[in-house]
Structure formats: C-alpha cells, structure tokens
Amino acid sequence: MKTKKMMTTVAAGAILVGGLSTATAAEELTLCWAAWDPANALIELSKDFEAQSGHTMNFEFVPWTSFADRMLNELNSGGQLCDLMIGDSQWIGGGAENGHYVKLNDFFDAKGIDMNDFIPATVTGYAEWPKNTPNYYAMPAFGDVVGWTYRKDWFERPEIQAEFQDKYGRALDVPATLAELKDIAQFFQGRDIDGTTVYGAAIYTERGSEGITMGVTNALYNYGFLYENPAKPYDLEGFVNSDGAVAGLEYYKELYDTGTPPGSSNWYMGENIDAFRSGQVAMQMNFAFVWPGVEADANVGGGKSGYFPNPAGPAGQFAQLGGQGISVVAYSEKQDAALEYLQWFAKPEVQSNWWELGGYSALRSVVEDPNFATSQPYAQTFLDSMAIVKDFWAEPAYADLLIAMQQRLHNYVIAGQGTAEEALDGLTRDWTEVFEDEGKL
C-alpha cells in the first residue's frame, strides 16, 4: 500500500474554545459508516447536533459485506465524499500512516476531550496509532465485541434440564468454558423443539470479508494463540502456530462439524441473527450490536433470550473486539464543522442518549454509572465482554493479513483441507511475507 501524504492539516487554533457552533456558516456534512441498526440510531441522535449547530447531516451507509472495499477505496483515492468516517478498528494504522485521518491531539487538548474518559480497550482499539502511544486519529464511537445469545426459555424447560443433567452430570446453564459451550451445541443439535428440528449454534464462517476470522479468534485467543512474540514485534513463529493455537482451531472445526445448522458454511452477522430469531438455533455467536434487536423481537425477546460473554479456554478468557472510532477525513474541505460534530458527540449527555437509542457508548461516565448494568438485560454482559477483548492486526497492511487468514481458516474449518497445524503454519508464512514486503522484518 503506497503512502499518501496528508493533504490538509488542522491547526491547534482552528476551532475556537467555547460554544459548539464555531464555523462561519452552516455546512452540509457527510458521515460514512456501515448500514446496520446502530446507523439508524445515529441518524436519530444526530438531529440534536443539527438543531444545536445549524449544520445538516447527510449519511452514506454501506452494507458490511462491501463496507471495507467501498470506504477504503474512497480513502485511498483521496475522495471527498466523507467528512466523517466511522471506520473499522483495523483501519486505524492505515488511516494514520497513509494520511487519511486527521490527527486529533491538538483538537482534544483545545476542547478538553480526555481519552482517559473512555473505556481503555476502545481507545487502544479504535483511536491510537501506534498502539499504546498517545497519538489519536479517532475518538471511540461504538463499542462492540463478540458475545453469545442463547434461548433462555429452552434452557429452562424441565424436561430438557433433566436430560442434560443425565447426560453431562451438570445443570444446563450458561457455559463457563468453551468445552461446555460445545457440549451444549452438540446437545441441541438435531433436537426437536415444539415440532421443529433445531441446531446447536450459529457461528461465524463467512469467507468473503472477515467473518470466519472474527469467529475463529474467539477460540484461538483462549487456547493460546498470539499474533506475535510479546518481546519481539513481527516474530510470528511459535506464536501464531503454537500448539495451543492448533488446538483452538481444531476446537472451532469440531464445533462447526458437530453443532451448527446444515448449510451454514458462509454465515456472518446477518445470517446468524436470522437463524436465532427464526428459532433455528439454541445459541448464536454475534457482535453485541444485535442484542437490542433480540430484545425487541417478538419471537425471541421479552425474556426468552439471555446473553453471556465468550467463555474461557485453557489459556484464558478473551473475546474478539468489534466496534469503531470516528475520524475526521483528511481530504474533507469541511474539517472545522466535522470537528464540531466530534465535540458534540463527546458530551456525556449525548453519549447517554446514544446508549438509550441502541448505540454502545464507550464513555466511562455512561458505562460506569451504577444503574448501567441493570439498564438493559444485556448491559452486564457488554461490560464483562469489553473487559476481555483482543483485536486483529491494525497494521496498514491489515487487508493483506486478513485475506490470508480468511483463506487459511475457511479452507481448513469449512472445506476440510489439511490439518489445523498446516493451516496455521501456512498463515505464519503468509504473514511473514507480508511483513517482509512492508520492510518490518
């Protein structure tokens, strides 16, 4: 990926300290994001900004399956469609190093916006580059994480409880470990519930974008997979393909082979939520953004469903980070007005409204409020999950790294090609080659 120099910069004094509306005239701003339920909530939330600032908000929302291709092409071409970008967490390295995103440190200092006021994992995941340095190219916008939804009403049926107890010697309950989760998926696989054949779990298997990677990592992390040697950046051998990582990949394949619906070889967020809402599965893996929709659904909401964090494995308990930060696009000619939007969005009262509308606030004053954990049936699970997150590479070459992982994982887990060890050995070679090309090895 060739580096682009930033075409525009923001001076520390470009935005005056004081009231929200500081631009000389009303502007039309375009915010780019994925097309999903939280985007609709953001439209509603942003009406307050329009009323306060006099600016008009336009929105460009693209389905997740084509979101990365569409928006990364827009950034790489220096396009001016987007003034604000809610970009995926993995884009932060490229956004910073290729000059796509405005560096926000001076603006944050001028406006008193403190990154310590946000959930630490979201600052590291969405805002910083290089990681773990105070260099900010985004503000946390939407906290998200892979977790699980389950049919609480099925779990609580006495006859199902009794049969599970007889078979496994323990009560049917929220799984504490991945091994217990697999038992539950296998227990429900092919079971008759009210005259319908149901299956164990809907998990991520999609190949075309990022799906199977976002799923498999929830097992890999918990079996000991590491992206690199903690003491030596980009040293991959023995970490990406450790014995624990191999066992984690074997686990995911067994879960797929023995506990998922027929025909689920290319499923991601949409397919999983459809399967759960239609009563096909006892559990679904999905990002937390789906939980408000589950609660509101006539078939599975209203107490019929429950939520739990990704269970622990032999090497610990972790979950794949989702979510995004909001950035000012460096090619925008309306950066002052775009920064006003960030100033408004950072306000605690706005973040509180964001949560109430179905957005996942990353502001600590919201999530650490004593009433937060009981504000929704899934709120505590969100908090527990955000405390155990890990994320995929955020390197500028992230797309090449992701393509390799998608191919290696799908070929093994879904197509049954080779062994888990061969898949991870191959991935180690692929990634090493990428980093060699990047001049990092």
Side-chain angles (χ1 to χ4, degrees):
M1 189 180 292
K2 295 182 179 179
T3 301
K4 290 179 175 289
K5 291 185 178 179
M6 187 174 293
M7 296 172 61
T8 54
T9 59
V10 178
I15 300 296
L16 300 177
V17 178
L20 177 61
S21 183
T22 58
T24 57
E27 300 273 17
E28 287 196 11
L29 292 172
T30 298
L31 187 153
C32 297
W33 199 13
W36 58 334
D37 288 347
N40 298 326
L42 188 64
I43 294 175
E44 184 64 27
L45 183 74
S46 298
K47 291 177 181 178
D48 175 69
F49 172 76
E50 292 178 312
Q52 288 190 36
S53 68
H55 301 310
T56 300
M57 293 298 298
N58 299 313
F59 299 91
E60 184 73 17
F61 297 147
V62 179
W64 274 113
T65 51
S66 53
F67 176 55
D69 285 345
R70 172 71 181 87
M71 290 308 168
L72 290 177
N73 285 338
E74 176 70 19
L75 292 173
N76 289 331
S77 67
Q80 295 184 332
L81 169 66
C82 310
D83 303 297
L84 293 152
M85 175 77 74
I86 301 183
D88 238 353
S89 58
Q90 290 88 12
W91 301 2
I92 195 70
E97 292 194 14
N98 297 331
H100 300 326
Y101 294 162
V102 170
K103 189 174 183 181
L104 297 171
N105 289 57
D106 289 344
F107 169 71
F108 287 163
D109 289 344
K111 290 300 179 183
I113 297 173
D114 189 346
M115 288 296 97
N116 291 320
D117 291 339
F118 292 86
I119 300 171
T122 66
V123 176
T124 301
Y126 311 153
E128 294 177 348
W129 191 259
K131 295 296 184 183
N132 302 307
T133 70
N135 297 284
Y136 305 118
Y137 294 86
M139 183 171 72
F142 187 86
D144 207 357
V145 58
V146 172
W148 293 84
T149 319
Y150 73 101
R151 287 299 301 266
K152 186 177 179 182
D153 54 342
W154 294 359
F155 277 43
E156 291 176 347
R157 292 190 180 188
E159 68 278 12
I160 292 178
Q161 280 274 347
E163 186 177 344
F164 188 89
Q165 179 73 45
D166 288 343
K167 184 171 184 178
Y168 294 100
R170 66 176 189 273
L172 175 58
D173 202 349
V174 169
T177 67
L178 289 173
E180 291 180 2
L181 185 145
K182 185 175 64 177
D183 287 345
I184 294 170
Q186 292 171 344
F187 175 77
F188 277 100
Q189 186 75 352
R191 180 169 294 276
D192 182 279
I193 301 285
D194 299 331
T196 299
T197 300
V198 304
Y199 302 95
I203 65 174
Y204 290 164
T205 58
E206 181 262 1
R207 178 167 180 160
S209 61
E210 64 175 14
I212 196 165
T213 296
M214 296 294 103
V216 170
T217 48
N218 294 280
L220 292 182
Y221 297 152
N222 295 348
Y223 274 81
F225 167 97
L226 295 175
Y227 284 103
E228 58 190 340
N229 182 346
K232 186 179 179 182
Y234 310 112
D235 177 20
L236 312 179
E237 184 66 41
F239 298 91
V240 171
N241 57 347
S242 66
D243 291 344
V246 170
L249 186 53
E250 290 172 340
Y251 167 89
Y252 201 84
K253 177 170 176 54
E254 185 178 0
L255 179 62
Y256 170 73
D257 287 342
T258 64
T260 63
S264 61
S265 61
N266 196 37
W267 282 17
Y268 197 19
M269 296 177 282
E271 292 82 4
N272 283 17
I273 186 59
D274 288 345
F276 189 79
R277 285 175 170 172
S278 62
Q280 294 181 52
V281 292
M283 300 179 292
Q284 68 149 335
M285 162 188 281
N286 225 324
F287 285 108
F289 85 89
V290 307
W291 294 341
V294 169
E295 278 302 302
D297 189 271
N299 294 323
V300 296
K304 296 179 182 177
S305 297
Y307 312 89
F308 60 90
N310 191 49
Q317 185 175 15
F318 306 98
Q320 175 60 50
L321 181 70
Q324 302 87 35
I326 182 169
S327 299
V328 175
V329 177
Y331 315 117
S332 168
E333 296 180 346
K334 305 170 185 176
Q335 291 183 21
D336 285 3
L339 288 166
E340 286 185 58
Y341 188 89
L342 261 64
Q343 180 191 353
W344 165 82
F345 191 70
K347 292 183 174 182
E349 61 269 26
V350 173
Q351 288 292 304
S352 180
N353 290 338
W354 183 218
W355 168 249
E356 291 177 4
L357 288 170
Y360 281 83
S361 174
L363 193 68
R364 292 176 61 184
S365 66
V366 174
V367 301
E368 293 176 1
D369 184 283
N371 297 318
F372 180 86
T374 57
S375 63
Q376 295 289 350
Y378 46 80
Q380 185 62 58
T381 301
F382 174 70
L383 292 176
D384 295 341
S385 298
M386 290 302 296
I388 59 172
V389 292
K390 286 192 175 187
D391 200 13
F392 187 77
W393 293 106
E395 293 283 329
Y398 119 88
D400 293 331
L401 299 166
L402 179 62
I403 288 169
M405 192 165 189
Q406 284 285 110
Q407 180 178 349
R408 294 288 184 180
L409 296 182
H410 203 276
N411 286 350
Y412 169 69
V413 173
I414 309 303
Q417 297 178 10
T419 67
E421 183 176 5
E422 290 168 344
L424 293 177
D425 285 347
L427 182 61
T428 301
R429 293 192 299 271
D430 295 339
W431 283 358
T432 298
E433 183 177 341
V434 170
F435 289 127
E436 287 174 345
D437 291 344
E438 290 282 296
K440 297 184 174 180
L441 284 174

